[in-house]
Amino acid sequence: MRKTNWNDNWLFWNSKDAFALVWDIPQNARKIDLPHDAMIETTPHADSINGGNTGFYDGGSYTYVKFYESKPGDRERNISLLFEGIYMNSFVYVNGQLAGNRPYGYSEFIVPISHLLKEEGENEIRIQVKNSSGKNSRWYTGSGIYRDVYMLTGGKTYVKENSFLVSTEDCSEEEATVLLSANVMNGEPVSMDIAVCFELMDRVGKVIAKERKIVSTKADSESKVLSRLFVENPLLWSEDNPELYKAVVTVSVAKTEDNGSFSQGEILDTEETTIGIRKLSLDSRHGLRVNGKTVKLRGACVHHDSGILGAKTYKEAEYRRISILKKAGFNAIRMSHHPAAPVLLEACDELGMYVMEEAFDMWTRAKSDYDYNLYFMDWWERDIEAMVLKDYNHPSVIMYSIGNEIPEIGTDEGSRLAGKISALCHKLDPYRFTLASINGVFAAGDAVPQITADVASSVGESDDSINVNDFMTIMDKYMDKIVVHPEITKRLDKACAMTDIAGYNYMTARYVLDNEINPNRIIVGSETYPPEIAVNWREVMKFPQVIGDFTWTGWDYLGEAGVGIPAYNFGEGGFGAQFPAKLAYTGDVDITGFRRPLSYYREIVFGLRKAPYIAVQNPAHYGEKLIKTPWVMSDAISSWNFDGYENKPVIIEVYSAGDEVELFVNDKRIEKKKINKEDNCRVLFETVYKPGNLKVVSYSKGEKTGEYELVTAKGDIRLVAEIDENTSKGDKHVFVNLMLEDADGNTFTDRDETITAEIEGDGVLLGFGSGDPKSQEAYTGNVTKTYYGRALAVIQRKSVGNVALKVSLDDGKQIKINI
């Protein structure tokens, strides 16, 4: 079917009163283009009903309207609307009649509309979104039609939507067998012969394999057509070589030739998709293999929001995100905790990033008062089908997580339900693996008091009056003992019985135990604490059945406000973070795409960086006790700018894979330290702050392996604007990095300034902000304050004409950059 982007020219307003008799379009309706996030346009506030879950942003009820001009014959054609994601509880009306609805805010869904169109003339397409029923999420969701919308059009004989599926049955560097299938619908009132042609094409469009089949179809029937194509010397898809092919299916009238043979006549429909030829295998001896090669997943959990863009999902934003994560050493992402947008998967296909897709964050038990739990039992099968069919042709997707930290998964009914969900995934897609991302503590259920008492007793803590409230304190100190408790083991045996892989959230301590008692259990660290990557990675590399580690998180996100913010007073960060905190602040990369110190630490642990790295703890809090959660290592930043703290004590963090590191301040040797195994690639130095340069040299077996230097920015501030290196020429959405620098290019991390942006030419400022987890400026405005000397602007080009970004400081200094 023909697929036409339908993002332009919508009317939008905040419904508030959705009384059914009120069906007019209010005067305050405004014209917008999709994708759109109504939530990011609101002002976060301390009294938000969602609290820190969504970063103190509120949802609401919204209406979107677009008009479609019917042409004669449209009612007899196949016309549908494809929505890639609407958050949440969406209802689609055509000329006032309900055409379809979807409760889940992350599922792609198709709504047929032909039968509701006028014979000729203007039709109103109205989408109502109801995201105002109190807390319905543990993270920032956005509101409204935040992903792309398409119109699908076709004749009476066509390829059924989401039925053109391509998979690799077998492959090597010498040959491959590719299975293609499509469901062809004959909507004519008579039987007919049709020609179905399958083709595979390489990157330059050359046909490398094809087959034509003649299919006899009945009137008003559906026929599934299969083809196995042999490919000689295929270019196999992997993280290192993300080679892609195009698959095409064409449906034509079967024309009878004079000699009795058939040929292709009039083309009735065509579908195409991008695929990769690759084979997955899994066993406890070799772990995960891609094309026969063992792969350890260096994983990043990510949420779906696009930082200062809110939930709005753009192709360029996802390509940029995946490109930055890959350069930082990751080879896999986990989409947490819901199905990914198609453009994100396209980016992973093209750039070579493995994907753990995830279906749900809850099943039959709620985590928020009004979450998807309300609809799960009625909708889970349709939502699983939508996820799998969306992902099927993407080579980057290698496994499906059927749920995240599901409390009931260790119960009898929970285990049976896990079996049903996993079985449906396998039925729809037999070529990928399933898992559940399990938190053993959450799954412990009514065993929590017993576990708490046992662990407290074993470590000499008083077990008098132990109750569930004490569990958080015990858990923070003794998680490694908790997760190996026999009660958790018993529940994990049930929880893991029905999936291919056991996903362990924060249970690295179980790897040794399970290697002994469950040697055939394939395990992945589906969610882990960032500071523990050195210990985690050693365990991953030690056991072949442990296939990888996914940190929480690779990219910072809106919502779960403050969980990763270092604090020195209650309420500033951590679990007690108060407004105006709006970011989780757990990411290796901040919301603007800037890599934080833990990102470089991880790269060193992975063995992908030889040079050392320096981060410096804030001297303003020297000697104070840091209030931190397990997601926080320290408050260190990579900077040697601390104006006002000259000659004051300071702690230097040095990350290195060497066995010795040597520290210099202004070329004066401070100290040389050994790095032992238990140091986990991180050592601390104490000195005093002296502006100038801070340098570290690393050694291995006496040989220099690299060095790293920080230099104090000095003199006048220059405002610098650079188009992001991950932006390509011709991109509709352009990312511009803004920095406060000195004449030598050193960033002033301690002299943040308020900056104002203006667009000249045919463009729009879509987002403007910084990585500050407590920023109070609106991302949709044109004024922001830098954070550690940095900010980001996102510009949308409206045409091929000239567009420029002009940014100014309060003191009148300006810079202008042509897009």
Side-chain angles (χ1 to χ4, degrees):
M1 298 180 74
R2 183 182 178 189
K3 186 176 180 180
T4 306
N5 186 285
W6 232 49
N7 285 343
D8 297 341
N9 300 318
W10 288 80
L11 293 174
F12 165 81
W13 64 94
N14 189 328
S15 307
K16 293 184 179 178
D17 182 3
F19 183 50
L21 295 179
V22 181
W23 208 257
D24 59 342
I25 296 176
Q27 291 185 344
N28 66 346
R30 58 190 176 92
K31 186 177 178 181
I32 65 164
D33 293 334
L34 305 178
H36 176 252
D37 178 7
M39 184 179 279
I40 203 68
E41 296 175 350
T42 66
T43 301
H45 60 101
D47 297 325
S48 166
I49 192 170
N50 294 313
N53 286 8
T54 59
F56 298 95
Y57 286 91
D58 285 335
S61 294
Y62 312 99
T63 301
Y64 298 81
V65 166
K66 183 166 177 169
F67 297 98
Y68 174 73
E69 192 75 20
S70 288
K71 299 175 288 296
D74 272 357
R75 285 177 63 91
E76 284 70 50
R77 300 167 72 207
N78 286 288
I79 303 178
S80 300
L81 294 177
L82 166 63
F83 299 93
E84 291 188 345
I86 304 176
Y87 199 89
M88 65 176 290
N89 289 320
S90 55
F91 296 81
V92 180
Y93 298 89
V94 178
N95 297 323
Q97 304 300 309
L98 181 65
N101 74 296
R102 199 75 172 205
Y104 199 29
Y106 302 105
S107 279
E108 179 176 288
F109 64 104
I110 295 172
V111 179
I113 64 170
S114 304
H115 62 295
L116 297 174
L117 296 176
K118 298 175 182 178
E119 291 289 350
E120 193 171 352
E122 185 179 77
N123 300 270
E124 184 199 78
I125 314 298
R126 180 177 293 233
I127 290 87
Q128 289 189 339
V129 184
K130 303 180 187 302
N131 184 28
S132 56
S133 300
K135 291 183 179 180
N136 59 43
S137 177
R138 299 186 300 110
W139 58 84
Y140 180 88
T141 59
S143 287
I145 310 177
Y146 66 98
R147 292 179 182 169
D148 292 327
V149 177
Y150 294 90
M151 175 173 276
L152 307 178
T153 55
K156 290 187 175 182
T157 301
Y158 61 98
V159 178
K160 186 179 179 181
E161 303 91 333
N162 291 329
S163 76
F164 183 30
L165 305 176
V166 185
S167 55
T168 304
E169 290 195 319
D170 199 7
C171 67
S172 67
E173 292 183 355
E174 289 75 35
E175 59 187 41
T177 305
V178 180
L179 177 66
L180 301 89
S181 67
N183 290 14
V184 179
M185 309 295 294
N186 175 13
E188 297 288 351
V190 296
S191 298
M192 62 185 296
D193 291 334
I194 58 174
V196 181
C197 182
F198 293 99
E199 296 176 296
L200 282 179
M201 302 176 185
D202 62 18
R203 279 187 180 271
V204 297
K206 178 184 176 182
V207 176
I208 60 169
K210 67 183 296 184
E211 182 181 23
R212 188 191 69 204
K213 294 195 170 187
I214 305 300
V215 181
S216 178
T217 65
K218 292 183 179 180
D220 295 314
S221 67
E222 178 177 346
S223 302
K224 184 171 185 176
V225 188
L226 300 171
S227 177
R228 282 182 176 81
L229 296 182
F230 178 83
V231 180
E232 192 171 6
N233 300 320
L235 299 174
L236 303 183
W237 187 95
S238 69
E239 61 175 290
D240 299 319
N241 298 288
E243 297 288 346
L244 297 173
Y245 291 86
K246 183 165 72 173
V248 181
V249 59
T250 304
V251 177
S252 309
V253 174
K255 181 180 178 183
T256 306
E257 301 293 342
D258 292 340
N259 61 5
S261 64
F262 289 96
S263 63
Q264 289 179 250
E266 177 191 358
I267 294 178
L268 302 173
D269 195 16
T270 184
E271 289 279 343
E272 64 178 54
T273 185
T274 301
I275 63 131
I277 298 175
R278 60 107 180 93
K279 186 177 181 180
L280 305 173
S281 59
L282 191 69
D283 64 70
S284 59
R285 176 75 178 273
H286 305 95
L288 172 68
R289 285 186 286 178
V290 179
N291 305 324
K293 178 183 176 182
T294 295
V295 171
K296 294 287 189 177
L297 300 174
R298 307 185 301 273
C301 295
V302 297
H303 266 317
H304 78 298
D305 73 77
S306 297
I308 64 174
L309 295 173
K312 290 179 285 188
T313 305
Y314 297 106
K315 172 182 174 181
E316 294 90 345
E318 299 297 10
Y319 273 69
R320 176 176 179 262
R321 169 156 58 169
I322 297 304
S323 179
I324 290 171
L325 288 172
K326 187 157 188 183
K327 290 172 184 175
F330 293 107
N331 69 353
I333 63 165
R334 171 189 175 211
M335 190 66 245
S336 318
H337 306 287
H338 51 72
V343 290
L344 174 61
L345 300 182
E346 289 173 16
C348 293
D349 291 343
E350 293 197 18
L351 296 172
M353 183 73 80
Y354 301 117
V355 177
M356 178 197 296
E357 179 72 289
E358 194 152 65
F360 310 115
D361 186 50
M362 73 293 294
W363 292 350
T364 62
R365 297 187 188 178
K367 293 183 180 178
S368 302
D369 289 341
Y370 298 95
D371 63 22
Y372 179 69
N373 151 263
L374 295 173
Y375 315 101
F376 176 82
M377 292 306 295
D378 293 328
W379 282 88
W380 74 261
E381 290 174 284
R382 281 172 283 184
D383 288 321
I384 285 288
E385 181 179 30
M387 177 186 75
V388 173
L389 295 182
K390 168 182 64 70
D391 295 354
Y392 196 99
N393 294 340
H394 291 283
S396 57
V397 179
I398 61 174
M399 62 183 76
Y400 302 116
S401 170
I402 60 175
N404 171 66
E405 297 187 341
I406 304 299
E408 67 269 35
I409 196 168
T411 66
D412 292 346
E413 282 302 317
S415 178
R416 285 191 278 268
L417 183 52
K420 291 179 181 179
I421 301 173
S422 181
L424 180 56
C425 289
H426 285 139
K427 178 183 177 181
L428 295 167
D429 182 355
Y431 299 100
R432 290 180 174 91
F433 310 114
T434 61
L435 72 146
S437 301
I438 304 167
N439 186 314
V441 176
F442 281 25
D446 58 7
V448 166
Q450 181 63 50
I451 295 171
T452 307
D454 290 348
V455 171
S457 176
S458 71
V459 296
E461 298 267 3
S462 172
D463 61 355
D464 294 337
S465 303
I466 286 287
N467 56 50
V468 177
N469 293 329
D470 299 315
F471 191 73
M472 290 302 292
T473 301
I474 299 294
M475 185 173 69
D476 186 47
K477 295 170 66 176
Y478 306 114
M479 177 62 84
D480 287 356
K481 292 185 178 296
I482 291 171
V483 298
V484 297
H485 192 281
E487 286 295 329
I488 289 181
T489 297
K490 182 171 67 176
R491 283 161 173 76
L492 286 176
D493 284 345
K494 288 185 177 181
C496 300
M498 307 305 290
T499 57
D500 303 303
I501 301 167
Y504 282 0
N505 286 12
Y506 310 110
M507 293 196 290
T508 303
R510 287 202 60 91
Y511 296 172
V512 173
L513 176 62
D514 280 337
N515 181 59
E516 297 172 359
I517 66 175
N518 292 300
N520 277 314
R521 180 176 289 174
I522 313 297
I523 299 169
V524 65
S526 42
E527 191 169 317
T528 62
Y529 297 123
E532 296 182 0
I533 183 56
V535 174
N536 292 346
W537 197 245
R538 273 201 303 270
E539 298 299 287
V540 170
M541 298 303 290
K542 184 188 302 181
F543 301 111
Q545 70 268 42
V546 181
I547 63 174
D549 178 276
F550 286 77
T551 188
W552 191 266
T553 55
W555 196 279
D556 198 17
Y557 59 99
L558 289 157
E560 291 190 293
V563 68
I565 299 177
Y568 292 90
N569 295 293
F570 182 79
E572 293 178 349
F575 293 121
Q578 303 295 310
F579 180 82
K582 60 184 178 183
L583 304 182
Y585 209 58
T586 62
D588 277 22
V589 183
D590 78 10
I591 62 164
T592 69
F594 181 68
R595 292 177 62 184
R596 298 169 63 201
L598 257 167
S599 174
Y600 295 92
Y601 176 61
R602 186 181 310 279
E603 191 179 12
I604 287 168
V605 169
F606 284 153
L608 301 176
R609 177 187 170 97
K610 289 186 178 180
Y613 192 78
I614 304 172
V616 182
Q617 296 181 13
N618 190 346
H621 296 289
Y622 176 83
E624 296 181 38
K625 180 177 174 56
L626 177 65
I627 302 172
K628 63 178 185 140
T629 65
W631 294 273
V632 179
M633 179 178 281
S634 70
D635 67 355
I637 63 171
S638 189
S639 173
W640 197 232
N641 265 75
F642 298 99
D643 189 35
Y645 292 91
E646 291 78 7
N647 299 311
K648 298 289 181 65
V650 65
I651 303 293
I652 314 295
E653 299 183 8
V654 175
Y655 313 143
S656 174
D659 52 36
E660 284 185 305
V661 288
E662 192 171 22
L663 189 71
F664 299 84
V665 175
N666 297 330
D667 299 323
K668 179 183 177 181
R669 183 180 185 273
I670 301 300
E671 190 178 358
K672 191 174 188 179
K673 283 193 174 185
K674 290 186 178 298
I675 303 180
N676 301 311
K677 179 181 177 181
E678 57 269 21
D679 292 321
N680 295 322
C681 301
R682 176 178 178 259
V683 291
L684 305 182
F685 292 85
E686 183 169 341
T687 183
V688 295
Y689 173 61
K690 292 181 181 294
N693 67 293
L694 177 68
K695 185 174 75 172
V696 64
V697 180
S698 61
Y699 303 89
S700 183
K701 297 179 181 179
E703 296 292 325
K704 180 179 175 180
T705 57
E707 64 179 57
Y708 189 73
E709 185 177 34
L710 296 174
V711 178
T712 306
K714 57 187 178 181
D716 294 333
I717 290 178
R718 293 190 312 150
L719 180 59
V720 177
E722 295 178 353
I723 294 178
D724 191 272
E725 65 177 3
N726 301 291
T727 296
S728 299
K729 185 178 181 180
D731 280 355
K732 182 177 180 181
H733 300 94
V734 179
F735 295 77
V736 180
N737 297 311
L738 302 162
M739 291 80 66
L740 305 178
E741 294 183 350
D742 67 8
D744 296 322
N746 302 304
T747 303
F748 286 96
T749 57
D750 57 350
R751 293 171 62 180
D752 286 311
E753 301 281 347
T754 298
I755 55 178
T756 303
E758 296 178 50
I759 298 295
E760 297 180 352
D762 196 11
V764 175
L765 184 66
L766 277 185
F768 192 46
S770 73
D772 183 357
K774 299 181 180 180
S775 169
Q776 298 184 55
E777 292 84 15
Y779 297 137
T780 54
N782 72 328
V783 177
T784 194
K785 190 173 184 179
T786 61
Y787 184 63
Y788 292 136
R790 302 181 61 87
L792 176 72
V794 185
I795 295 94
Q796 182 183 64
R797 300 164 59 94
K798 289 295 187 178
S799 68
V800 296
N802 293 329
V803 180
L805 171 67
K806 185 170 70 174
V807 185
S808 57
L809 297 172
D810 282 349
D811 65 4
K813 292 179 183 176
Q814 289 186 347
I815 188 170
K816 183 176 178 180
I817 183 170
N818 292 317
I819 305 302

